[in-house]
Every structure is written in structure tokens, then in C-alpha cells.
Amino acid sequence: MTAEPGTRVLKADTADTVAAVAAAARCLSAGGLVAFPTETVYGLGADAGNGEAVARLYAAKERPAFNPLIAHVADAPGARRLGTFNADAERLAAAFWPGPLTLVLPKRPDCPVADLALAGLDSVAVRVPAHPIAHALLEAFGGPVVAPSANRSGHVSPTSTAHVLSDLRGRIDMVIDGGPCTVGLESTIVACLEQPVLLRPGGLARAAIEAVLGRALKLPPAQDMPLAPGMLRSHYAPKARLRLDAKAPREGEALLAFGPGALDTPMPTLNLSPRGDLIEAAANLFSHLRTLDAPGTSAIAVMPVPHEGLGEAINDRLQRAAAPKS
Ligand code: TXA
Ligand code: MG
């Protein structure tokens, strides 16, 4: 879509809500970035299935690394299309959705969320927000919307449109102004992969969750919250070794290329972006790594990716994937 000169602010107080939500849903469908209120904090939304829109979202936030994002859906049936619910997840969803609770679930094989938004993980974080504007937007859009807090990386989460604009004006297409957020703290994140684990304390109290589960939540293995994806034990790492800053593949290696230079090699090759575009490269990163990480490939040679813009985050992920496995 053509870039907006600035960021449109859509008032959603009374009669204007329906029109604002419809315009925002169209913007998301066109690959745009829309900030919207939830009961916890303002989120910066993008179409979860559109890898390039997700890449632009990371660029707007200036995230130095690709943290996995929360997929927001209108209701529990929408969530079931993304992840698999065990008995604990069923109980928590029934008790607390819609509301300030995010569940991390094993992702379904047909989960439509872009690999980049999941940072290559096999799990997906899902939330059904209670805020009427968030709910209306998700209904109108009709699919999952990934939405990190609508702030620049390293800044605090925004609870008003003024906060969103001071961080992101001119970097995103629009913001729906729904007034201040009532909870003001991000959602509580519980992983329901095996035993339920509290990954992030938040707007829903731990005691309420434990009362519904009938037992205590486990804490993550490290005392630090495992919120940087590199610290997640389950974080995606290819089985093949990665050889960074490669000029060309060696015998038995696959090649992850970048940029327009034609490479004449019989080895399996995928190009992150033949036109040298870092947004396109980010969108392709995790899926290309997965495709090249095939049985029989001893290593993946990776051509240099420039360090500017999203290149910083791309190189961060590549370096983590290349680090020796402990
Ligand atoms: O209240 C909220 O949750 C807000 C509103 C907008 O919904 N969103 C939010 O998103 O706080 P964000 O991106 O700022 O924080 C999401 C957190 C990150 O720390 C990320 O590491 C974690 O969720 N996360 C996402 N997917 C995960 C996964 N599969 N496994 C573990 N952690 C995950
Ligand atoms: Mg945040």
C-alpha cells in the first residue's frame, strides 16, 4: 500500500466507532499497521498471516531482535484455529477470555500465523482481548492480528493514544483512539505446553489463575523472565550448522543467499531477498531456514546481510541460530 504521509488518528468515542473500525480493518487487510486500544495496553496490529506486514511492524518498533508476538483473535473458536488446547488451557480460556490472559499453546500444523511473528517457534501465543474496540476490529478483520505493545522498543507500554503517537507518529498508518486503557499492565502469559508455566506476570493475578487450575503455576527455569526469544529453551535452532558471512556454499552445504548477485551453484539455494530488501528478507528468514534445514544438509552457508534497519535483528537471529548448541 502507499505509505501515509502521517499517522491517521481515528476517534472512536460514539457514532464514529463503526466507521473507524471498518477503516482500520481495511488497512490491516492491505498490509498496514494499526494501533488500537485493548484493556491492557495499546497494541500495534498487523495481519498475522502477512510476513511482510509483520516485518514492517518490527521495523516501526525498532526492535533489535524478533521477539515472538501475541496473535489476537475475536473469540475462542478463532484461537482454536491457531493452537492446540490441553485441559488446563481449556479451563483458563473458559474462565478468563475475553480478558488480560495470553496462552502459549503448541501451534497447529495449519496455523496461519507467519513464521516471522512466531520467531520460528513451534508454539503460538494467543489472546482474546475484552476491549470492545479491539473485539470489533478483530471481528471486522476476520483473522488473527499480531500486536505487540504500541511503543518503540525499550520504551514503556502505551496506555493512551498520546503515548502511541509520541513513539510511533509517522511510522504507522493509523491509531484508533479509544481513550485510556483500564488495566494498564500487559496481559499475564501462561504457557500450556506441559505443566502450566507463568511466563509473564501481568494484568490477571496469579492467584486467580491458580484457583481455576487447582494448583500452583510453575515458574520458568531461569529466574529472569524468558521473554527474549533466545532465552526460550524451545527456541528454534536449525539442526544443520550455520556458517555465517559465507561467499559461496561448500560441498554438502545449502545456501541462504541475500541480494541480487547471481550465484551459480548446484547446491540447494534460497534467497532472503533477491532485490536486497531487508523487510522482505525478515519475512522470509525463518521459513527459508526451515526449508534449507533438510536431512542430508550438513550446514547452511549464509551470505552477509547488511546491519542497517531490520538487518540488525536478522543478524541477531542468525547469530543465535549459529551459536553452538549446549
Ligand atoms: O497485554 C498484552 O499482552 C499486549 C496487548 C497489546 O495485547 N501485548 C504485548 O505484546 O504485551 P508484547 O509483544 O509487548 O509482549 C509479548 C510477549 C513477549 O515478551 C514475547 O516474548 C512473549 O509474549 N511470547 C510471544 N510468543 C511466545 C511464545 N510462543 N512463547 C513464549 N513467549 C512468547
Ligand atoms: Mg511490549
Side-chain angles (χ1 to χ4, degrees):
M1 65 183 288
T2 47
E4 299 269 358
T7 297
R8 280 174 70 194
V9 179
L10 307 179
K11 285 272 175 209
D13 15 35
T14 46
D16 292 342
T17 305
V18 174
V21 162
R26 280 195 303 276
C27 182
L28 289 173
S29 299
L33 302 179
V34 176
F36 61 96
T38 82
E39 70 276 24
T40 58
V41 298
Y42 273 74
L44 178 57
D47 175 356
N50 180 339
E52 294 208 11
V54 175
R56 281 195 292 276
L57 189 158
Y58 285 110
K61 276 185 67 93
E62 293 184 338
R63 275 207 168 166
F66 299 126
N67 285 344
L69 302 176
I70 298 172
H72 296 66
V73 290
D75 48 29
R80 280 180 219 292
R81 286 193 273 278
L82 310 184
T84 313
F85 285 66
N86 63 15
D88 292 325
E90 292 288 359
R91 255 183 235 122
L92 294 177
F96 298 117
W97 277 353
L101 173 69
T102 294
L103 296 177
V104 172
L105 307 169
K107 77 164 188 174
R108 287 174 52 121
D110 57 351
C111 174
V113 179
D115 277 333
L116 177 63
L118 301 178
L121 294 169
D122 291 324
S123 57
V124 58
V126 190
R127 166 155 136 73
V128 179
H131 195 291
I133 292 173
H135 181 79
L137 177 62
L138 293 166
E139 286 249 285
F141 178 67
V145 170
V146 285
S149 48
N151 52 279
R152 285 219 211 175
S153 192
H155 294 194
V156 294
S157 292
T159 54
S160 72
T161 295
H163 297 167
V164 174
L165 289 171
S166 79
D167 265 23
L168 298 173
R169 188 193 288 278
R171 306 174 73 90
I172 63 176
D173 296 288
M174 49 177 79
V175 48
I176 310 181
D177 183 0
C181 302
T182 51
V183 176
L185 262 185
E186 294 96 336
S187 61
T188 302
I189 306 182
V190 175
C192 293
L193 302 172
E194 299 156 13
Q195 294 301 305
V197 179
L198 179 68
L199 292 181
R200 178 177 75 182
L204 178 65
R206 173 183 176 149
I209 297 171
E210 293 181 336
V212 165
L213 291 175
R215 63 190 196 285
L217 284 166
K218 294 176 84 166
L219 293 179
Q223 261 323 92
D224 323 72
M225 290 295 133
L227 297 183
M231 295 166 67
L232 294 169
R233 277 186 309 167
S234 54
H235 188 71
Y236 172 69
K239 293 185 191 66
R241 203 166 46 77
L242 252 62
R243 188 166 67 80
L244 302 184
D245 284 324
K247 304 279 171 291
R250 299 176 184 151
E251 193 60 40
E253 287 185 340
L255 178 67
L256 185 63
F258 176 85
L263 270 151
D264 188 19
T265 166
M267 299 305 163
T269 299
L270 286 175
N271 197 323
L272 287 171
S273 172
R275 63 176 196 269
D277 178 279
L278 289 163
I279 301 256
E280 183 185 35
N284 287 329
L285 178 65
F286 291 109
S287 53
H288 279 12
L289 276 174
R290 270 178 196 265
T291 307
L292 290 177
D293 190 19
T297 300
S298 63
I300 302 170
V302 185
M303 286 174 59
V305 174
H307 264 279
E308 74 233 25
L310 281 189
E312 194 186 347
I314 293 172
N315 283 307
D316 169 85
R317 304 312 304 136
L318 285 170
Q319 266 146 23
R320 287 175 194 276
K325 287 150 197 107
S326 48

